[in-house]
Amino acid sequence: MDDLVEFLVARIMDDNHAYAYVADTLGGEALLDSHLPMLDLIEQLANDYKATDPSDSRSAGLAYALRVLGQSYAEHPAYQQEWRPQPFKEIGVE
């Protein structure tokens, strides 16, 4: 799971750099409908997961959320198929 968190944080940094380039090239107005707020939220989830003790009941939910969000990068060459989310019943969550 730590690999997925590192992967997501790296993709967020890449996306933030791309948005910075667009803002510098086309002006800040080009980012009005951007996904920057979503990138911030994903980064916050990743940080929350890293700070959460594995025995905490929220850990499984955070891991599942990160797996779902990671699917948006499934076409990236570094994406690993084992990161795909599993149905809750298969991971022991009711």
Side-chain angles (χ1 to χ4, degrees):
M1 190 66 194
D2 291 338
D3 290 344
L4 172 60
V5 172
E6 289 177 27
F7 172 81
L8 281 172
V9 170
R11 299 297 67 77
I12 290 165
M13 297 305 268
D14 290 347
D15 288 346
N16 280 330
H17 289 150
Y19 280 119
Y21 174 78
V22 168
D24 188 46
T25 304
L26 302 175
E29 302 83 40
L31 299 179
L32 290 177
D33 292 327
S34 76
H35 292 103
L36 285 173
M38 180 58 89
L39 294 175
D40 290 342
L41 292 172
I42 295 169
E43 187 173 26
Q44 183 60 50
L45 278 175
N47 290 333
D48 288 349
Y49 178 80
K50 289 191 282 188
T52 302
D53 188 279
S55 65
D56 189 318
S57 60
R58 296 172 295 173
S59 182
L62 286 170
Y64 187 79
L66 291 171
R67 288 176 183 275
V68 169
L69 292 166
Q71 286 185 288
S72 62
Y73 297 102
E75 298 301 317
H76 190 279
Y79 182 81
Q80 298 176 25
Q81 291 302 314
E82 69 252 18
W83 294 338
R84 295 185 78 74
Q86 302 298 315
F88 276 142
K89 64 183 179 182
E90 290 181 24
I91 60 171
V93 178
E94 299 295 325

